[in-house]
Amino acid sequence: MSPETTFTWIPSPISILKTSSHILPDSSTGMSSPRKPQHHQQPKHDEWVVPTSNKSIRAVNPVSFAFERLAKKIQPGSQRKDGKHPISLANGDPTAAGNLPSCPVAREALITSALNESSFTSYGNPCGTPQARTAIAEHHSYPEHAIDAKNVIVTNGCSGAIELALTALLDPCTVLLVPKPSYPLYQMIAEMHGATVAQYRLRKDSNWECDMDHLQELMATHHNVRAIVVNNPSSATGAVFSQLHLVQLLEFARVHRLPVVADEVFGDMTYGSSEFCPLAHIAAKLGRQVPIITTSSLSKQYLLPGWRVGWYSPVVLACSKHGSLKGLEAGANRLAQMMPGVSQLAQSIIPKFLSKSTPGLDVWKRNLRITLERQATFLHTKLSLCEGLHPFPPQGTFYNMVKIDFNVLRMDDWEFATKLLEEENIIVLPGTAIEGPRDVFRISFHLPENGLYVAANRLAQFCQRHAASNRKRMEELIKMAMV
């Protein structure tokens, strides 16, 4: 049997896209346009309409806009003449297809805790259990700076940690610096609280590093900027920042007196020569001159997205000797009292995962990286051979960006994604769906290898077909012009 006939994984509609769009495709042109805010509708005098809070109206999840446009075109193979099953290269859940098993240490630790511990049945500290907070504090401590466990807060995934950090930082009319392209949650949370975001560019011509000149321009044109978000490794592009670049970002933050929210949910999930450097560690080595709030979780690095175990850790309290983060720490602790705490049973596995002495853990993580790097390399090699596509070298996470050569394919990101789905039943994420350029799309490479093989072949056929059609059209135009 060929891989095409044996690969039958059909993603559920909800799992197709686990990212979101702040820019919506215009239905008439297929181009991107800014999303429009919703407003209250005036009820008729004889209707009883319960009013909705402005905060809830601002809490828009833009994923629906990108997904709804693509989801209408997804068909099971049985409903298509060509029999092609849908393959999602836009899925953000590495466990959805079942080919990447979660770490067995998690299951064993959870079973042991459930059988042997009785204290998990009572209410616990909303900031987390002492054992979990201590393990996280030790994990993020360095010779240059030790973390106090009382400042660590266990949250509902890394998303919960980001929400806690930004809620503690932002007020209405304040500004948050966020990367572009980026994980959309930052903007959603900021806008929900009445704040705004200023998006700093990531340079695709420089391995998606932050555009330092653009950051300076934003500081010159915006007032009341409260903080900057740095996402490394990048959930949007898969890029991994070098130590030198992180030092540049810290110097920028120091000069402008900006605390940094470091979203490091992917941690050391890196490949080849790329090396993950915790921003807080670099800041500590440079003398603790910048406040760093690290957010992370077990979701990505240990393939446990459904367990919802993350944390907020003010790792390096820049100038902490002067109390620069004491107010923020107190505020975060107050906010944590109102947030849903993480199951004490789920928290019981944190010490096992963050201990370097846990048997089998290092081997499992190494094998996971080897598998993902092999799949990333395979897909990168295959797509490099596709006419009109230029994939960026994989560096980390399980995502990668691919550039579309407009001169060859004559399509922007949305047209490419839409036609690819219609013709080949493959889902990719348009770049503008995560505030990226119009000439890129993002793929994930954590699917079963036979699925990647089928997807790569279909993409090659798609590009060859459209490149040939474009060449023929151009030849006809040249002939007409010469008549």
Side-chain angles (χ1 to χ4, degrees), residues 155-165 185 295 308 311-312 339:
T155 59
N156 193 338
C158 189
S159 297
I162 293 168
E163 181 179 10
L164 179 63
L185 184 66
T295 63
R308 312 310 303 142
W311 53 84
Y312 159 109
M339 293 185 173

Side-chain angles (χ1 to χ4, degrees), residues 5 34 61 69 87-88 94 114 149 195 263 266 297 301 352 371 391 403 411 419 474 482:
T5 57
N61 183 353
R69 183 173 177 99
I87 301 176
S88 176
D263 178 356
F266 278 97
S297 77
Q301 299 172 63
K352 285 273 189 184
T371 298
K403 187 179 186 301
M411 303 182 209
K419 288 185 176 180
M474 292 301 296
M482 294 177 65

Side-chain angles (χ1 to χ4, degrees), residues 15 23 25 47 63 78-79 136 269-270 304 314 395 441 453-454:
S15 71
I23 299 179
E47 290 182 346
V63 65
S78 59
Q79 295 180 14
I136 294 167
M269 189 179 283
T270 61
L304 295 169
Q395 300 177 58
F441 62 90
Y453 179 85
V454 173

Side-chain angles (χ1 to χ4, degrees), residues 83-94:
K84 294 177 179 176
H85 293 291
I87 301 176
S88 176
L89 296 180
N91 195 318
D93 185 349

Side-chain angles (χ1 to χ4, degrees), residues 408-445:
V408 176
L409 296 173
R410 310 299 292 183
M411 303 182 209
D412 68 1
D413 59 332
W414 268 101
E415 186 177 4
F416 182 93
T418 302
K419 288 185 176 180
L420 181 65
L421 182 53
E422 290 173 343
E423 298 177 24
E424 300 293 342
N425 220 5
I426 290 178
I427 307 101
V428 297
L429 187 69
T432 50
I434 48 175
E435 299 283 12
R438 290 172 47 200
D439 63 347
V440 301
F441 62 90
R442 196 190 73 175
I443 57 172
S444 55
F445 46 80

